[in-house]
Amino acid sequence: MLTLTASPALVPTKRRAHVKLFTVQGSNFPSFLPKEVENIKDPFARRLATRIERLPVGFADRSIMSSCVKPLIQSEGSPVVLLHGFDSSCLEWRYTFPLLEEAGLETWAVDVLGWGFSDLERLPSCDVASKRDHLYQLWKSYIRRPIILIGPSLGAAVAIDFAVNHPEAVEKLVLIDASVYAEDTGNLAKLPRAIAYAGVYLLKSTPLRLYANLIAFNSLPLNTSIDWMNVGRLHCLYPWWEDATVNFMNTGGYNVSAQIKKVKQKTLIIWGEDDQIISNKLAVRLHCELPDAVIRQIPDCGHLPHVEKPNSVAKLILDFVGEDSNKEAQSVSQV
């Protein structure tokens, strides 16, 4: 049985999924990661960072070395693809990824174009259409089967946009504390470039990142908050990060509210009951507007349940992914 205790040191088990406690010392991190990865203390973040790799993805007129964590196993079921939120990376899944993988799911954690740890020295456009096409080309090159697509926060907008435009690639959706009702980047797209760069530079500042942790999570100890901040801003240390983020902001960002009713896939909505960033009233609205959706709320949890309550999120995802096979088994047993 999964407990609801969410601690970086204690991630319980389910369905033979067992995450062993470990200390990663002298880790062989990929050479392309910023050297500051060595300063991260969280063993789960360090462990997942050692598995990040770059795959060539044909995109526009070039091939981009695109960062992701590939699955260790292949399964007969649909692969699970984990996105991340705004200005984040695949390391956001450091606690939930191993639970899903060790439960037997073929699990990918993918960095959205413009964030994460891809090689973007020759910077492509990082607008919405480019992010969508890049994800499609990665799927087409390496996965090539309908997926369970999971998007937290702004990643939910990425997931909806992708599922509506490429329904053949997506079997089901999981949306976590979904940021899907913001009307693009609004006036930020009209800012002079100098001001835009100043604002984006602020995004990676220590005070702002610590404040973001304060409102995103419930009662996070200071030393944990500092370490999680270092995990969250690691990708910001690439020289191209500011250009990519300004490009995204200046091109308008995501506006998927009109696409929600076009989603054909069955959808699981997960929401932290204590989310201080996006009201859970919007969870109810989203549930009403999606044609085929179920909603589950996690108590005593803030904006990023897959970080704060990985056991609860893993259980919900495993149940949602397996429900169709369970129904098939019941149907066969009744024949």
Side-chain angles (χ1 to χ4, degrees):
M1 179 178 178
L2 292 174
T3 77
L4 296 185
T5 302
S7 165
L10 294 172
V11 181
T13 64
K14 184 181 190 299
R15 298 182 184 177
R16 300 185 304 279
H18 182 62
V19 179
K20 297 179 181 178
L21 302 182
F22 47 75
T23 301
V24 185
Q25 296 177 341
S27 299
N28 294 318
F29 294 114
S31 60
F32 56 79
L33 291 183
K35 66 181 185 303
E36 287 81 359
V37 68
E38 296 283 0
N39 300 328
I40 291 172
K41 297 180 176 61
D42 184 337
F44 289 92
R46 291 174 65 88
R47 182 65 170 265
L48 195 60
T50 65
R51 289 184 54 187
I52 297 173
E53 56 186 289
R54 286 174 169 173
L55 303 177
V57 174
F59 174 71
D61 61 345
R62 71 191 74 176
S63 178
I64 292 177
M65 297 303 294
S66 304
S67 52
C68 66
V69 179
K70 290 171 57 179
L72 292 176
I73 60 171
Q74 286 189 330
S75 65
E76 294 181 359
S78 299
V80 172
V81 175
L82 309 173
L83 303 175
H84 56 74
F86 172 76
D87 190 27
S88 188
S89 76
C90 57
L91 291 178
E92 205 175 281
W93 288 97
R94 56 195 177 271
Y95 304 133
T96 305
F97 185 101
L99 288 174
L100 298 176
E101 188 169 68
E102 295 198 19
L105 296 185
E106 182 178 330
T107 309
W108 293 72
V110 175
D111 282 334
V112 176
L113 180 70
W115 298 308
F117 305 104
S118 299
D119 181 3
L120 299 183
E121 288 188 13
R122 292 178 58 215
L123 188 69
S125 174
C126 294
D127 61 4
V128 168
S130 297
K131 292 180 189 296
R132 179 198 312 134
D133 187 43
H134 176 263
L135 179 58
Y136 177 73
Q137 295 303 328
L138 187 149
W139 172 83
K140 185 178 179 181
S141 297
Y142 298 100
I143 304 176
R144 299 185 290 273
R145 296 146 60 201
I147 60 177
I148 312 296
L149 186 59
I150 303 180
S153 194
L154 188 69
V158 180
I160 287 175
D161 176 76
F162 186 79
V164 169
N165 284 279
H166 296 291
E168 75 283 4
V170 182
E171 178 185 330
K172 290 182 176 181
L173 284 176
V174 180
L175 309 177
I176 303 175
D177 289 68
S179 177
V180 294
Y181 290 109
E183 296 184 1
D184 54 55
T185 54
N187 292 329
L188 293 176
K190 302 175 183 179
L191 289 175
R193 289 183 64 82
I195 297 178
Y197 272 91
V200 166
Y201 181 80
L202 186 63
L203 280 176
K204 69 176 179 181
S205 67
T206 297
L208 186 61
R209 292 273 171 168
L210 282 173
Y211 176 71
N213 281 350
L214 179 65
I215 61 175
F217 302 107
N218 280 340
S219 304
L220 200 63
L222 180 59
N223 60 338
T224 302
S225 187
I226 292 173
D227 197 45
W228 285 13
M229 175 202 67
N230 289 330
V231 174
R233 71 190 293 267
L234 185 64
H235 68 286
C236 300
L237 304 178
Y238 284 119
W240 50 257
W241 170 81
E242 291 175 18
D243 293 331
T245 305
V246 167
N247 178 258
F248 171 69
M249 304 295 281
N250 283 344
T251 54
Y254 281 90
N255 186 351
V256 300
S257 57
Q259 293 179 300
I260 292 172
K261 294 182 180 180
K262 298 178 183 178
V263 172
K264 297 179 181 179
Q265 294 84 355
K266 185 168 186 178
T267 304
L268 168 64
I269 302 168
I270 299 174
W271 217 277
E273 284 188 353
D274 296 333
D275 190 338
Q276 301 300 308
I277 295 177
I278 303 177
S279 169
N280 57 13
K281 292 180 180 178
L282 292 180
V284 176
R285 176 181 170 183
L286 182 60
H287 183 224
C288 292
E289 293 185 2
L290 282 166
D292 185 8
V294 294
I295 184 171
R296 300 289 182 265
Q297 298 203 48
I298 299 178
D300 302 317
C301 183
H303 182 62
L304 298 175
H306 55 300
V307 181
E308 190 172 356
K309 298 281 188 177
N311 310 281
S312 300
V313 171
K315 181 181 185 304
L316 290 171
I317 292 172
L318 289 167
D319 290 345
F320 182 64
V321 170
E323 65 182 6
D324 289 339
S325 59
N326 290 338
K327 288 179 181 177
E328 282 185 23
Q330 290 175 2
S331 176
V332 169
S333 66
Q334 293 171 359
V335 173

